[in-house]
Amino acid sequence: MNIQIDKREIIPLSDFELGWRFDKGHNSDISDYDKKEILALSENESKRLNKVIDYYEIESNRMGKYLETDWFSANSENKDKVERFRNQVEKYLKPFNEDIIISWERKLTLKTKKNIFIKYWTDFLYPGSDDVTIISERTNWILFYNHCEVANIWIKNKS
């Protein structure tokens, strides 16, 4: 299954409730080029996409079709831990080159590139508040982030 977004439903990042996470004042490292790759979606489009995401959030719908990794630390308290998470995600997702959909809740969703997420993951995932589902546009994998600073990935079986 491929998840398609309606390009007419892309909204300015400045109008997105979590768009401030990608402002220069919050993240001085983010380039204008990278920021253009973060596509905020309207509330209506987010709700539509979350109907698909809801299906994959039910574990029984993934069983037998996906392999689950162990939960691993997604701690961002220092550079070493940030890099450790980045390396683990890169290792698991290396075979996949597709855009991703990130959903914080039914009305807050965006689309971006896998490498943008990996590079700036601490702006996408906030400890203590965020429970986030990230799914590849071809549904080859799903990453679940829990506000307790752990994550796991479900990767589609090739068999």
Side-chain angles (χ1 to χ4, degrees):
M1 169 181 218
N2 285 339
I3 300 173
Q4 300 287 325
I5 66 161
D6 183 342
K7 293 181 183 194
R8 297 170 298 182
E9 295 294 326
I10 296 170
I11 63 172
L13 199 51
S14 59
D15 292 345
F16 188 64
E17 188 175 323
L18 298 177
W20 58 269
R21 292 184 179 190
F22 311 102
D23 286 343
K24 288 284 187 188
H26 177 73
N27 181 348
S28 59
D29 293 336
I30 195 164
S31 70
D32 289 337
Y33 177 81
D34 286 350
K35 197 171 171 180
K36 287 179 185 173
E37 299 294 333
I38 301 171
L39 306 176
L41 303 174
S42 71
E43 184 173 330
N44 285 339
E45 183 68 353
S46 294
K47 287 178 181 178
R48 186 186 71 79
L49 292 174
N50 269 281
K51 290 177 184 174
V52 175
I53 293 168
D54 287 348
Y55 173 84
Y56 289 98
E57 287 181 335
I58 299 169
E59 187 171 341
S60 61
N61 291 335
R62 298 186 309 267
M63 298 303 281
K65 300 172 193 155
Y66 290 80
L67 298 174
E68 177 185 15
T69 68
D70 289 331
W71 287 90
F72 52 95
S73 175
N75 189 295
S76 59
E77 70 183 19
N78 63 48
K79 287 182 181 186
D80 288 340
K81 291 181 179 184
V82 167
E83 193 61 29
R84 185 177 311 133
F85 178 79
R86 184 176 288 125
N87 290 339
Q88 285 185 287
V89 172
E90 282 180 324
K91 177 184 78 171
Y92 286 122
L93 302 183
K94 186 174 184 171
F96 306 103
N97 187 24
E98 55 199 271
D99 288 349
I100 63 175
I101 308 295
I102 302 174
S103 176
W104 288 265
E105 58 182 73
R106 297 200 63 71
K107 64 179 185 152
L108 290 173
T109 304
L110 58 76
K111 179 179 177 176
T112 193
K113 300 200 172 299
K114 177 184 76 169
N115 65 316
I116 297 292
F117 167 72
I118 291 171
K119 185 175 183 179
Y120 301 109
W121 76 265
T122 57
D123 295 315
F124 290 97
L125 308 177
Y126 272 34
S129 65
D130 287 352
D131 290 320
V132 181
T133 302
I134 302 168
I135 189 166
S136 68
E137 68 181 350
R138 294 185 197 128
T139 66
N140 283 318
W141 57 267
I142 307 115
L143 183 148
F144 296 100
Y145 171 82
N146 185 282
H147 66 275
C148 309
E149 297 181 272
V150 293
N152 80 340
I153 301 173
W154 291 69
I155 300 171
K156 191 180 279 185
N157 277 334
K158 295 191 191 234
S159 53

